[in-house]
Amino acid sequence: MAKEKKRLPQVLAVIATSVMAARDIVVSLLQQILGDAASDEYAVTSVDASETGPEELRPHLTGRSLLAEDRVVVVSSAEAWTAAQQREILPMLRALPPGLSVILTVVGEQAERSQPFQADLTTFLKSHGHIERHRKLAARDAQPWVGSAAQRLGVQMDDAAAAELVDRVGPDEDRLASEMEKLATYAGDSGRITLEAVRELVPRSLEASVFVLIDALSSGDVRKAYQLLAEFLPPSGQDEAVAHLLYMLARHFRLLWQTLALQRAGYRLEGLEEVPEELVGKLPAEPNVVASVGGRNWMARKLSQQAQRHTEATVIRSLREIYVADLTLKGILERRLPSDAVAELLVSQLGTLRARGGGRE
Amino acid sequence: MPYVPFSLRYRPQTFADIIGQEHVSRTLQNAVASGRVVHAYLFAGPRGTGKTSTARVLAKALLCDKGPTPEPCGECSLCRAITDGRALDLIEIDAASNRGIEQIRELREKVRYSPAEARAKVYILDEVHMLTPEAFNALLKTLEEPPGHAYFVLATTELHRVPPTIISRCQLFEFHLIGEARIEAALQAIAGSEGVQADPEALQEIARAARGALRDAESIFDQAVAYAGGRITVDLAREVLGVTPRDAVVDLLKAMAENDLASTLSRLDELVASGKDLPQLLQDIMLAVRDMLRASLGVGTSEEWEELADPARDIGSERLAETLRLLGEAERRLRDATQQQVSLELSLAQIAQTWAQPSAREKARAMVTQPRQAPTGPAPRRLETPAAAQPRRSATVEAASDKPSKAESEPEPASAPKAAPSTLAPAASSSASQGPSPVSADELAARWEEVHLQLKRMRRVAVWALLQEAKPVSLEGDIVTIQFDPKWKFHSERLGGPYRADVEQALSRVLGRPVQVRCLLGDVLTTPTPAPASQASKPKQEALPTAIQTAEAEDAGPQAEAQDEKDEKQDKKGIVEEPESEASAAAEKTVSAPKSPSQSDDDAIQRAVELTLQLFEDSEELPPE
């Protein structure tokens, strides 16, 4: 049966943080606009705005095609155009010939901005076009999302496995989709994704690993912290990997420090919009807890939970330990240890900080 | 015909040949079988674990004439071409040497062309983390929308250097280290195929040295075969590896753990005589100590150093962490030393001594509980030097023993409380019965420089400066008298007044026991004569901090340790069960107003440990910023 075409505005914008979500939306729009012709290679033209300026696009937006009745030009990374380029494209969009549609896509971090386009283009899209926005997955929606993905893939997955997956990946829709695809493939004929399979196949994201590592350290679980080290370090103990671990730990403790500072001022990470600009301006630019958390509720919650286990003194003491480890790693101190031993020593120091009373106020 | 090394000759040709990565093989086989192969894979993991080999097997599975199939035939022209490295549609790129945007742009251009002979093209980008940021960006576009005939396999040993944008566009597989047993089995299989005789222990040694990387193991085995010319024995394997015989390191560390310096040095001599490279030996010792630290933390140890697990738990993580630092310093010294052996001997002796002495926690506990063992008269205790301090092992070994403790077996003074079994009681009573060796005034004078150093370490620079004008005069009981020339009145007043506690602290640390200070300006006493610290009437509240300072003084690496904490709990229990003497009960009351004696003890110990740790913090030296 022929797919029915829908009448949509000629200019559309897809704004999505997830690559896969954006792709799905574009495919869906193409089908609505072109119907059966959506798979016709002559009907769809793809250009990348980061490599193609408005002037180069003009032939695609003005002429008609002999090979396709209706056509769609998909412009990816539209945010790559400067404001001037966006103003330049606007007259062409206003005068599109009949049968030609344009889809502008903005994907990834840029999609998190409230208005990724220049003001005139935004006004035009709102008045004469259509904007499809796909929001970032909220932390609380991640597990249900996994459940529905399992259904789509035709596999069974119990809650524990789903929770483990979310814990390892975080609410990153693209990575969740990719991992679900991998897990479903691994499950094969068994049709079941188990907790063991998740543990075996899904590596933690580095950010999530740091959270778990800091959790272990803060609770004095040195044993677990040691085991987690393997997620950061290659077995041969490369200096660079250890240096990166130190950087990640230092960055995290600095975020905790800022969290504590905000809490002391009476603000919560879960309500960052209430924090006055002036106070935000006083925080370091990088890492900046406000920017890091963004809209990520899970991170806000996790940082707040971890901050409860720390005082400013323990954070400072932890940073000092990291500093000493850094100097040791670089051979500045009067001692020289293999890089993985430096990491292990640091973990044992940080993991026993509380027991040693380090950083008591 | 040129020689083909084992690592290439025995490279996996099918998914079944890939060792230790079953999670990857199974997923890829299922993907090929079910047509769910994605267009971009990212293989991450340590070197020598099979990333590139797996990528090639995947390429075979996709391109095989009889495929796509999870079990490529290995015989068709394409499979053979891939094995021989001449397949036109398997493009392997070393990203480390083709890391720029130009190379990736070129790749993007070529990707568009249809495959030359197969149904698809497979690109393997090895060491992909080496690409420049611009090259990664250029690659991103290709990974997002690759042509239907193109598959990418990116391989990296450093996943953290791959941008998240790339990772999110690939299906990521982490390759694990391969277990020693499986590496050993693989080597055994190669030995069988090659007709090489090899002792199982030799293969074990090589498998261990490979640390999870099969390719490394194969290369070492290759060298051993070439070197041996016959049977491969464990000694030969060690020779090829250049490692110190494990047993020799174990024996050396055991001798150190037993504080047997003669045996330690003679074992070191033997190793040196056998031509052992000292820096390499030091590295081997470091590896062993690292494993001991892991064992002491209950993280588990490798089979290699299993024999050291018990001594490790006995020594404790606190001292082992400190040992690692000392070894790190030893490594530095060794490089600069003209007499390397002497340098290493000194380092090992220092470590053995560290292991023999009580840790900060043990000392703190001992000090806290000490008044209980001699609670009755005001008789001053004799001075105890650090050298005479009760060795750690005697305390812990006796504590662990089921035999009646020394405290129980010895007759008690009439007025002494009946001691209940306690882990610390034996050490304390034993110490008391043997009597600490006294420190003479001359000896104090000889160690005066240490007091100065101690003040510097404590960062009490002003106190240190004032003390320059003082000289130690006498040491009577727990009281140290220092004298100033009459012209140094200000110095005398300051040190006898606000800075007195600092001087006492430094002295206590150096002498290894709590002492108090009185100052003389000429012959005139400028401070009141303090009461002896050991006097029973002295409130425990005052005695505690000094005792703790002493305990903390010698141990610069306080680490909480599971066994310590367990001991601590046992100690507390033992103390609680102990009947109180009047004097000690009175002392307890000054600490707080406890609801019960046990609560009081708990609080006192808690406070003691807290103070110890606080003092450690105060005195800790940080490197210059």
Side-chain angles (χ1 to χ4, degrees):
Chain A
M1 203 173 103
K3 286 173 188 163
E4 199 178 321
K5 292 184 196 176
K6 274 191 182 174
R7 279 201 70 80
L8 287 171
Q10 276 184 287
V11 184
L12 304 112
V14 175
I15 302 169
T17 50
S18 155
V19 177
M20 289 193 187
R23 195 177 298 157
D24 289 346
I25 295 170
V26 169
V27 168
S28 162
L29 289 174
L30 288 175
Q31 282 176 347
Q32 289 178 50
I33 297 166
L34 300 171
D36 286 338
S39 55
D40 180 354
E41 61 180 299
Y42 298 109
V44 181
T45 306
S46 295
V47 292
D48 186 341
S50 62
E51 296 177 346
T52 315
E55 204 46 49
E56 295 163 82
L57 200 57
R58 186 180 291 277
H60 296 288
L61 300 184
T62 50
R64 291 186 68 92
S65 169
L66 297 173
L67 299 168
E69 185 187 344
D70 291 333
R71 287 188 306 124
V72 178
V73 175
V74 180
V75 182
S76 57
S77 306
E79 79 284 353
W81 280 334
T82 61
Q85 287 177 311
Q86 290 184 32
R87 276 195 292 273
E88 195 181 337
I89 198 81
L90 198 49
M92 294 182 230
L93 295 178
R94 284 195 171 119
L96 288 178
L100 176 63
S101 299
V102 173
I103 301 176
L104 305 170
T105 71
V106 177
V107 181
E109 284 178 14
Q110 294 297 324
E112 288 174 33
R113 292 164 52 186
S114 57
Q115 294 302 339
F117 296 117
Q118 180 263 344
D120 290 347
L121 183 54
T122 304
T123 308
F124 172 75
L125 283 168
K126 283 181 179 171
S127 57
H128 294 85
H130 173 74
I131 298 176
E132 282 273 348
R133 201 181 254 278
H134 180 82
R135 296 276 176 193
K136 209 169 209 175
L137 196 62
R140 63 178 174 280
D141 297 332
Q143 201 168 326
W145 187 97
V146 169
S148 56
Q151 272 188 337
R152 273 201 307 278
L153 292 164
V155 286
Q156 286 187 318
M157 187 176 196
D158 58 34
D159 286 348
E164 181 72 18
L165 176 61
V166 171
D167 189 47
R168 283 170 175 257
V169 173
D172 178 336
E173 203 173 326
D174 286 336
R175 263 209 70 198
L176 282 174
S178 172
E179 295 299 344
M180 281 301 291
E181 179 75 33
K182 182 167 76 182
L183 288 164
T185 309
Y186 178 78
D189 293 339
S190 76
R192 183 178 183 80
I193 296 173
T194 62
L195 181 61
E196 291 70 33
V198 174
R199 287 181 177 155
E200 179 82 2
L201 279 162
V202 183
R204 278 201 178 88
S205 70
L206 209 51
E207 208 168 35
S209 296
V210 173
F211 270 105
V212 179
L213 182 60
I214 300 274
D215 270 343
L217 293 173
S218 306
S219 60
D221 191 346
V222 183
R223 183 192 170 97
K224 187 175 179 188
Y226 256 72
Q227 286 160 346
L228 287 166
L229 263 189
E231 294 189 13
F232 287 94
L233 305 179
S236 50
Q238 295 166 20
D239 285 1
E240 202 171 335
V242 177
H244 188 70
L245 168 68
L246 299 186
Y247 162 75
M248 294 294 285
L249 286 173
R251 184 179 190 279
H252 196 92
F253 276 109
R254 292 181 70 198
L255 289 176
L256 281 175
W257 198 350
Q258 292 174 40
T259 306
L260 287 166
L262 287 177
Q263 285 177 351
R264 184 177 284 186
Y267 299 102
R268 294 168 61 245
L269 288 187
E270 290 86 342
L272 278 178
E273 61 279 359
E274 294 164 15
V275 183
E277 283 295 321
E278 188 190 337
L279 185 55
V280 174
K282 285 181 181 171
L283 297 174
E286 173 54 40
N288 183 286
V289 73
V290 178
S292 296
V293 168
R296 293 187 284 183
N297 294 334
W298 69 275
M299 192 189 246
R301 199 180 63 248
K302 278 262 187 189
L303 275 174
S304 298
Q305 283 169 357
Q306 290 186 341
Q308 282 173 6
R309 288 180 154 171
H310 283 277
T311 61
E312 290 193 345
T314 60
V315 169
I316 291 166
R317 182 64 201 262
S318 302
L319 286 168
R320 285 169 68 195
E321 298 283 7
I322 295 167
Y323 171 63
V324 171
D326 193 35
L327 294 180
T328 307
L329 183 70
K330 290 168 181 163
I332 296 169
L333 285 188
E334 278 304 305
R335 77 172 77 112
R336 194 176 151 77
L337 287 173
S339 51
D340 36 9
V342 172
E344 288 178 359
L345 255 185
L346 175 65
V347 160
S348 73
Q349 293 289 82
L350 293 178
T352 54
L353 199 65
R354 187 172 288 271
R356 290 184 289 128
R360 288 179 319 103
E361 285 187 303
Chain B
M1 192 175 161
Y3 179 72
V4 181
F6 290 163
S7 55
L8 294 182
R9 207 181 310 171
Y10 293 96
R11 191 162 206 160
Q13 300 301 329
T14 65
F15 284 115
D17 293 343
I18 297 166
I19 295 171
Q21 314 299 346
E22 283 73 17
H23 62 296
V24 182
S25 300
R26 176 178 156 180
T27 312
L28 294 177
Q29 280 185 293
N30 284 350
V32 174
S34 60
R36 293 167 91 161
V37 180
V38 299
H39 282 273
Y41 288 100
L42 176 54
F43 293 170
R47 66 190 157 80
T49 50
K51 297 181 294 297
T52 313
S53 298
T54 305
R56 287 187 184 171
V57 173
L58 175 64
K60 271 189 191 175
L62 291 169
L63 307 185
C64 174
D65 275 346
K66 294 171 187 166
T69 168
E71 287 169 12
C73 69
E75 289 170 1
C76 67
S77 60
L78 279 165
C79 282
R80 284 208 305 274
I82 291 172
T83 304
D84 298 344
R86 54 181 171 77
L88 294 174
D89 294 315
L90 172 61
I91 301 105
E92 288 194 45
I93 298 168
D94 175 20
S97 46
N98 296 279
R99 56 197 302 262
I101 190 167
E102 284 311 316
Q103 282 95 350
I104 298 300
R105 278 191 180 147
E106 196 180 318
L107 182 151
R108 284 173 56 183
E109 288 302 313
K110 289 182 180 170
V111 163
R112 294 179 191 168
Y113 302 131
S114 296
E117 50 185 359
R119 70 179 67 80
K121 289 164 95 170
V122 177
Y123 287 84
I124 300 175
L125 270 75
D126 225 344
E127 306 297 343
V128 74
H129 59 268
M130 296 297 284
L131 290 182
T132 62
E134 293 76 19
F136 269 125
N137 280 338
L139 182 63
L140 204 57
K141 299 290 169 194
T142 312
L143 293 181
E144 261 176 25
E145 292 168 7
H149 61 255
Y151 295 93
F152 288 88
V153 182
L154 317 183
T156 180
T157 49
E158 294 181 46
L159 183 60
H160 64 271
R161 291 176 64 182
V162 180
T165 45
I166 295 284
I167 297 174
S168 70
R169 282 155 181 81
C170 300
Q171 199 168 90
L172 170 65
F173 285 97
E174 282 210 333
F175 283 62
H176 303 160
L177 287 173
I178 304 165
E180 284 176 15
R182 302 197 69 175
I183 292 181
E184 195 185 326
L187 295 180
Q188 189 68 62
I190 294 174
S193 303
E194 297 288 324
V196 173
Q197 287 199 316
D199 291 347
E201 295 79 16
L203 298 182
Q204 264 176 22
E205 197 72 41
I206 295 172
R208 267 191 211 122
R211 297 188 152 246
L214 181 58
R215 190 176 57 221
D216 289 7
E218 288 169 344
S219 299
I220 297 166
F221 187 53
D222 215 341
Q223 286 175 43
V225 170
Y227 183 69
R231 186 178 193 84
I232 299 174
T233 62
V234 67
D235 288 339
L236 187 134
R238 283 174 182 158
E239 215 173 318
V240 170
L241 292 165
V243 297
T244 315
R246 193 185 73 254
D247 295 346
V249 176
V250 169
D251 289 346
L252 181 70
L253 286 166
K254 278 184 173 174
M256 287 163 64
E258 284 159 14
N259 199 20
D260 183 347
L261 197 58
S263 176
T264 302
L265 297 182
S266 89
R267 288 178 193 287
L268 184 61
D269 268 344
E270 284 167 21
L271 285 164
V272 174
S274 70
K276 189 48 58 197
D277 176 48
L278 290 181
Q280 177 62 46
L281 172 62
L282 189 57
Q283 288 294 321
D284 293 335
I285 294 172
M286 257 188 212
L287 279 178
V289 172
R290 269 186 62 203
D291 249 48
M292 289 171 80
L293 176 59
R294 295 173 72 88
S296 70
L297 288 165
V299 183
T301 179
S302 69
E303 291 170 21
E304 191 176 6
W305 306 112
E306 216 168 53
E307 286 176 74
L308 291 171
D310 283 341
R313 280 187 279 273
D314 194 17
I315 294 164
S317 62
E318 191 177 329
R319 291 187 200 86
L320 288 167
E322 177 60 18
T323 304
L324 265 185
R325 283 193 211 96
L326 291 173
L327 287 171
E329 285 157 16
E331 206 268 353
R332 278 253 165 158
R333 283 201 297 268
L334 196 65
R335 280 190 301 168
D336 299 334
T338 46
Q339 291 292 327
Q340 286 199 323
Q341 190 178 344
V342 175
S343 172
L344 189 55
E345 280 172 354
L346 283 173
S347 300
L348 297 186
Q350 187 186 1
I351 290 166
Q353 202 174 10
T354 308
W355 288 358
Q357 286 179 356
S359 70
R361 271 167 186 268
E362 287 165 350
K363 283 190 264 184
R365 284 201 305 268
M367 288 296 183
V368 168
T369 54
Q370 216 152 21
R372 295 177 182 289
Q373 273 74 50
T376 52
R381 282 183 358 229
R382 278 185 287 170
L383 290 180
E384 186 181 332
T385 62
Q390 187 66 20
R392 172 190 53 78
R393 290 186 69 80
S394 64
T396 50
V397 170
E398 283 182 43
S401 165
D402 289 328
K403 288 186 288 185
S405 70
K406 203 171 179 181
E408 287 173 302
S409 57
E410 280 181 1
E412 294 158 9
S415 57
K418 188 179 176 184
S422 156
T423 50
L424 281 170
S429 63
S430 159
S431 171
S433 64
Q434 288 167 9
S437 52
V439 175
S440 67
D442 287 347
E443 200 175 332
L444 175 65
R447 299 182 71 176
W448 197 239
E449 193 54 38
E450 284 180 56
V451 179
H452 286 274
L453 280 173
Q454 186 61 44
L455 281 168
K456 275 202 225 169
R457 278 198 202 106
M458 290 160 60
R459 294 182 176 173
R460 303 294 190 268
V461 180
V463 186
W464 167 78
L466 294 171
L467 200 69
Q468 299 293 317
E469 308 306 335
K471 61 177 182 182
V473 175
S474 66
L475 178 60
E476 293 164 11
D478 295 321
I479 298 164
V480 175
T481 305
I482 57 175
Q483 189 180 37
F484 292 86
D485 190 277
K487 66 181 176 184
W488 301 117
K489 185 180 174 198
F490 172 79
H491 294 59
S492 169
E493 283 173 359
R494 301 300 285 172
L495 289 186
Y499 293 145
R500 183 171 157 187
D502 291 328
V503 181
E504 286 178 347
Q505 188 176 338
L507 271 163
S508 299
R509 289 181 180 197
V510 169
L511 296 175
R513 45 149 297 164
V515 290
Q516 297 179 59
V517 166
R518 64 173 193 168
C519 297
L520 292 174
L521 185 62
D523 294 330
V524 181
L525 186 64
T526 57
T527 47
T529 304
S534 57
Q535 213 164 318
S537 59
K538 179 179 167 61
K540 192 173 179 180
Q541 191 179 16
E542 287 174 28
L544 270 176
T546 322
I548 294 152
Q549 289 159 12
T550 312
E552 184 276 337
E554 295 160 42
D555 204 309
Q559 293 268 344
E561 191 242 332
Q563 188 60 42
D564 275 356
E565 284 172 7
K566 194 176 161 191
D567 290 346
E568 196 171 291
K569 283 176 191 163
Q570 287 171 349
D571 295 344
K572 289 178 188 174
K573 199 178 168 193
I575 295 158
V576 170
E577 287 165 359
E578 211 174 341
E580 300 280 324
S581 72
E582 280 180 31
S584 63
E588 289 296 343
K589 280 175 193 163
T590 63
V591 175
S592 60
K595 289 175 188 171
S596 65
S598 72
Q599 180 66 45
S600 159
D601 282 328
D602 283 353
D603 289 349
I605 291 168
Q606 179 62 33
R607 175 82 183 129
V609 171
E610 281 178 9
L611 282 167
T612 306
L613 300 170
Q614 190 179 25
L615 286 168
F616 169 76
E617 280 209 14
D618 290 343
S619 65
E620 183 181 278
E621 279 186 303
L622 268 182
E625 295 192 34

